[in-house]
Amino acid sequence: MVDAAALSVIGPDGDAGGHECGLSDDQLLHCYRAMLRTRVFDEICMKLQRSGRVGFSVPNLGIEGMQVGAASALEKTDWVFPSYRDFGMALYHGVTPLRMMHNMFGNGLDSAKGRQMSVHFSFEEPIHFFSISSPIGTHIPQAVGAARAFQARGEDHVCLASFGDGGTSSLGFHSGLNFAGVWKAPVVFLCQNNGWAISCPSSGQTASESFAIKAAAYGMPGVKVDGNDLLAVREVVGEAVGRARAGEGPTLVEAVTFRMGGHSSSDDPTRYVPAEELEAWGERDPIDRFEKYLAQRGLWSEGDEEHVREDALAEIDAAAKEAGAQAPPGLETIFSDVYETLPDHLRAQGEAVFDLSRRKGEAAAGGGEFPL
Amino acid sequence: MAIEFKLPDVGEGVAEGEVVQWLVGAGDAVEEHQSVVEVMTDKATVEIPSPATGVITALHAEAGDVVEVGGVLFTLETADAPAVAGAASSTETAAQAAGGTGSGAVLTPTPPPKPVGAKALATPSARRVARELDIELSEVAGTGRNGVIRRCDVEAAHGAGGASTVGAHASTMDVPTGAGGETRVPFRGVRRKISEAMVRSRDSAVHFTVVEEVDVTELVALRERAKAVGAEQGVKVTYMPFIMKAVAKALERFPQLNGRLDEQAGEIVRCHYVNLGIATDTDTGLLVPVIEGVERKGVLALAGELAQLAQSARTGRISPERLKGSTFSITNAGNIGGIHATPIINHPDIAILGVHRIMKRPGVVEGPEGDRIEVRQYMNFSTSVDHRLADGADGVRFLVALKELLECPGLLAL
Ligand SMILES: Cc1ncc(C[n+]2csc(CCOP(=O)(O)OP(=O)(O)O)c2C)c(N)n1
Ligand SMILES: [Mg+2]
């Protein structure tokens, strides 16, 4: 199952064979914390969902190394076009759990003003984290378009488009990769092959011998990398980012990993994921592996994990409480951000709604009863 | 405070879940996020965690029970009060965040006039019950999301206060009962349908009501003769068929009152036929069967249909088909009493006519020799129009036209 064609850096015992990753000790520890914080954030979101406090969540257990490795190869001026599992990339770049929780609760402080589903984050800083699309693959051409724009303007920003193995069957994958190749756009395609698209195994997704090989059809390099190896992902994505920034065009990276949780909070993976596979991949946990690597470098010792976990739990729990107590977005936000000058018919609708809310009270969640 | 934990929708659109097993017992202390119960839905079997740290005081279902989403699973007693919407300490404000990018809010609501202190968040039914029970909402602790006050919170507060009046809304908790005892009637079936229809009408239509006095002395005489003619044919003739004819005629002149609102299409439908809903007092409650094509039918034919309707209403055999499609309705309280009323429009009609009791009174009659006092018969009529769809003036003009026709019923033949 361990794919011999996929590049690895950190061995099972944590030995990286003298690999130069270009990260300082502090940066390595930041990567470690980002992975663990991502895991804890995920755990708490699932608890919030199960206890009815947020509507939806998407587990990302097992792919923290890939997210953090890829994110660490980007500059703050670059643009992430993420998939719904990629919130680890936002956490790595310094988005606070509180801002993310505002989205989970869809409250008045949510950057999307409650218009998106939970876990569909969007941030303008500290890194451009493009609003997550639920429809599979639609953000791939968007990333290419943005990259093409940077190219036209002579700006050296790079776009990272991240999607799943299932995403390669979308129309956006073809049109996006095709024109990225034609234009030599500064974009990196990160295909997270996590074995599944909901209950469809990745073997049911393509007749090609790999996902990486599809790059040949679009005239770009394709590389396969061990997705549970933070340093390997950083290495491969970093090289692709370098090529993109240097004007040498796009790259397709296939990161091989495994979805250790359910597809989403609505899924029951025990119905279709073989237990042996889960067990085998459990042995290759990206966080365990990175701990061993850090330990070899004298940066980690027993007990560190508990520490980071406890801090993360306290911070993220507090963020959830604060976000959960925020008021929902104001009624007027229904009418903002689409038109510069509001057309008359919408203005009239708005006034009617405000009038109704003045007379009957604001619509509020609760017991399924809406005053409006 | 006590939290009644309700089974959430743990999938997308899950309706119910079966309790597989409890992982804690009543009386156990639990931490926030600690798994409490395993529930199997049609999507997945999931562990439900506790939403807060506290003590589980009651389990409301047993293993094997199926609980609907929204049904109470367990009660949790926590030490602290729940977070209340808007109470956050964040330095950023929602308004700042909402400003965000772009041109910002281009439309801003004027803030609702607030009573002293912030308005309590409450569901509409909670507000209504609070009003009825004369309970100050700001003094009720809400158990809904974000501290929203729900109806049961108000009722609980009422029970705790030990108020002496027992309203129809008292629920299952202990409330002192008056010495004479009480009877509970299930709020369902026709009663519930009537309730829904009334609420729908009240919540959508803006009622404007006008009342007019009509001298029906001539109509009374005419009806006496018609009664005799009807008797020969075995038809009982009341005042209603005359009123229906007059309504159909008056609606010809005021078509803006004859029809309905098609909310989905965003159109007011004006009908070129007159289907009259006749509000009928039956044993089970108010029904509004419809008589179609009134503009085409004669008084005797209408009288026949009305008699037949009355019969079906008494035996409870009015088919649901007959309860639909009115373009205007008439409600008759005249045979019971009252001098006027404020009729509630039969949703989605535009208007309704209320018919009231005939009374003999001295009246001023103008004659060639001047005014004289006579014993006359008077009848009040009221009309409610939905002021969204027509204007008050339309209602008044319609009523005046109706008055002309009924004061001089010979005009109905024109
Ligand atoms: C266009 C479109 N088709 C179907 C879906 C439903 N859907 C949501 S996620 C998903 C699977 C995607 O699998 P993959 O791309 O491998 O990503 P993963 O969830 O494994 O990270 C599907 C089919 C969708 N959101 N959009
Ligand atoms: Mg996948």
Side-chain angles (χ1 to χ4, degrees), chain A residues 164-166 192-198:
Chain A
D165 44 307
Q192 312 183 5
N193 175 5
N194 64 1
W196 300 94
I198 311 187

Short mmCIF file of all heavy atoms in Angstrom, two decimals, chain A residues 164-166 192-198, ligand 2:
data_model
loop_
_atom_site.label_atom_id
_atom_site.label_comp_id
_atom_site.label_asym_id
_atom_site.label_seq_id
_atom_site.Cartn_x
_atom_site.Cartn_y
_atom_site.Cartn_z
N GLY A 164 -9.67 17.03 -4.18
CA GLY A 164 -9.51 15.61 -3.87
C GLY A 164 -9.35 14.74 -5.10
O GLY A 164 -9.41 15.22 -6.23
N ASP A 165 -9.17 13.46 -4.86
CA ASP A 165 -9.10 12.51 -5.96
C ASP A 165 -10.41 12.55 -6.75
O ASP A 165 -10.42 12.51 -7.98
CB ASP A 165 -8.83 11.08 -5.45
CG ASP A 165 -9.65 10.74 -4.23
OD1 ASP A 165 -9.62 11.51 -3.24
OD2 ASP A 165 -10.34 9.70 -4.22
N GLY A 166 -11.52 12.70 -6.03
CA GLY A 166 -12.81 12.80 -6.71
C GLY A 166 -12.88 14.06 -7.57
O GLY A 166 -13.52 14.07 -8.63
N GLN A 192 -5.32 15.88 -3.41
CA GLN A 192 -5.20 15.09 -2.19
C GLN A 192 -5.88 13.76 -2.43
O GLN A 192 -7.10 13.67 -2.32
CB GLN A 192 -5.89 15.79 -1.02
CG GLN A 192 -5.55 17.23 -0.88
CD GLN A 192 -6.21 17.84 0.35
OE1 GLN A 192 -6.85 17.16 1.15
NE2 GLN A 192 -6.03 19.14 0.52
N ASN A 193 -5.10 12.77 -2.76
CA ASN A 193 -5.67 11.45 -2.99
C ASN A 193 -5.79 10.75 -1.64
O ASN A 193 -4.85 10.14 -1.16
CB ASN A 193 -4.77 10.68 -3.96
CG ASN A 193 -5.27 9.24 -4.14
OD1 ASN A 193 -6.32 8.87 -3.62
ND2 ASN A 193 -4.50 8.46 -4.87
N ASN A 194 -6.97 10.88 -1.05
CA ASN A 194 -7.16 10.30 0.29
C ASN A 194 -7.92 8.98 0.23
O ASN A 194 -8.51 8.53 1.20
CB ASN A 194 -7.88 11.30 1.20
CG ASN A 194 -9.28 11.61 0.71
OD1 ASN A 194 -9.72 11.07 -0.30
ND2 ASN A 194 -9.97 12.48 1.41
N GLY A 195 -7.93 8.37 -0.93
CA GLY A 195 -8.51 7.04 -1.06
C GLY A 195 -10.01 7.01 -1.35
O GLY A 195 -10.52 6.01 -1.83
N TRP A 196 -10.71 8.10 -1.06
CA TRP A 196 -12.16 8.07 -1.15
C TRP A 196 -12.75 9.38 -1.66
O TRP A 196 -12.20 10.45 -1.39
CB TRP A 196 -12.79 7.79 0.24
CG TRP A 196 -12.35 6.49 0.80
CD1 TRP A 196 -11.30 6.29 1.65
CD2 TRP A 196 -12.90 5.21 0.52
NE1 TRP A 196 -11.17 4.96 1.93
CE2 TRP A 196 -12.15 4.27 1.25
CE3 TRP A 196 -13.97 4.76 -0.26
CZ2 TRP A 196 -12.42 2.91 1.21
CZ3 TRP A 196 -14.24 3.41 -0.29
CH2 TRP A 196 -13.47 2.49 0.43
N ALA A 197 -13.85 9.26 -2.38
CA ALA A 197 -14.72 10.41 -2.65
C ALA A 197 -16.06 9.98 -2.05
O ALA A 197 -16.77 9.17 -2.63
CB ALA A 197 -14.84 10.66 -4.14
N ILE A 198 -16.35 10.46 -0.88
CA ILE A 198 -17.41 9.91 -0.04
C ILE A 198 -17.19 8.39 0.00
O ILE A 198 -16.14 7.96 0.48
CB ILE A 198 -18.83 10.32 -0.49
CG1 ILE A 198 -18.89 11.86 -0.71
CG2 ILE A 198 -19.84 9.94 0.59
CD1 ILE A 198 -20.28 12.41 -0.99
MG MG C 2 -10.95 11.98 -1.79
#
